[in-house]
Amino acid sequence: MSRIGNNPITVPDGVTVEVKDAVVTVKGKLGELSQDFSEVDVKVEDGSVVVERPSDSKEHKAKHGLYRALVGNMIKGVSQGWTKQLELVGVGYRASNQGQKLDLALGFSHNIVMDIAPEVQIETISEKGKNPIVKLTSHDKQLVGQVAAKIRGFRKPEPYKGKGIKFVGEQLRRKAGKSA
């Protein structure tokens, strides 16, 4: 039995869930998300969403937990939102934003300017004596993770000094370097 798929999803106040033609649409105070599904049944019953599978075949088992997690993430996203924070570790690494344009100085000969999707709110925090932090917030978990991974990909943390862009709270594997 799927431990994730069998759990019902409670729908908080202010969130509406509609199932129509194999598409789940979730509306809340932060926005609207939709997800199409197949090979499972999604039912909305008195304040909760239940995902059921028709049989115990391998494909049905795999998609049972998947779609339950996707719908759960959508409901949490439109009610509370998702946040990712990236920390820039390195001398001279800076981040600033003008509206939806993120400007990163990462030690290259030129700054990296990136346009951020309008669904994602961006905030840069620069305090004296601390590493700059880029904060991404949106109702779409997948989009926030994708934008954060793209930003992190510009300069991944290296294992010797730890310089680069890392997620806040991420544990890095450090290596010892050469010893003479």
Side-chain angles (χ1 to χ4, degrees):
M1 296 300 285
S2 172
R3 283 184 253 191
I4 294 172
N6 290 331
N7 293 336
I9 308 161
T10 56
V11 179
D13 294 337
V15 176
T16 60
V17 180
E18 295 177 6
V19 180
K20 187 176 181 183
D21 298 332
V23 175
V24 178
T25 305
V26 180
K27 295 178 188 170
K29 63 181 182 189
L30 296 178
E32 178 180 341
L33 293 170
S34 61
Q35 171 72 44
D36 51 343
F37 62 92
S38 63
E39 299 185 23
V40 293
D41 299 323
V42 179
K43 296 177 185 167
V44 182
E45 300 169 345
D46 50 79
S48 66
V49 178
V50 179
V51 179
E52 297 174 347
R53 63 177 184 240
S55 72
D56 283 345
S57 70
K58 193 171 184 179
E59 292 81 22
H60 291 161
K61 283 182 173 183
K63 293 193 175 178
H64 187 207
L66 168 75
Y67 286 121
R68 191 269 178 211
L70 290 176
V71 172
N73 288 341
M74 289 165 48
I75 290 173
K76 184 179 177 198
V78 298
S79 62
Q80 300 171 4
W82 295 98
T83 302
K84 291 263 188 194
Q85 291 186 338
L86 297 154
E87 184 178 2
L88 281 67
V89 181
V91 177
Y93 286 12
R94 288 186 307 279
S96 63
N97 69 309
Q98 298 83 31
Q100 291 299 101
K101 284 195 183 291
L102 176 65
D103 189 6
L104 298 169
L106 299 175
F108 297 120
S109 61
H110 58 283
N111 286 2
I112 297 171
V113 179
M114 181 180 177
D115 288 323
I116 306 294
E119 296 88 21
V120 179
Q121 286 79 41
I122 186 164
E123 179 185 354
T124 53
I125 304 164
S126 298
E127 295 180 22
K128 191 166 177 71
K130 292 186 179 177
N131 294 327
I133 292 177
V134 177
K135 187 175 178 183
L136 304 167
T137 309
S138 178
H139 62 280
D140 191 347
K141 182 177 184 179
Q142 182 180 353
L143 185 62
V144 168
Q146 188 175 356
V147 171
K150 179 128 177 101
I151 293 171
R152 185 178 186 269
F154 290 133
R155 180 77 89 169
K156 287 188 177 168
E158 53 97 16
Y160 297 102
K161 292 185 177 179
K163 289 172 54 174
I165 302 174
K166 69 180 190 98
F167 292 109
V168 171
E170 178 183 5
Q171 297 291 318
L172 298 175
R173 287 192 61 193
R174 299 294 292 270
K175 291 185 178 178
K178 291 193 289 187
S179 55

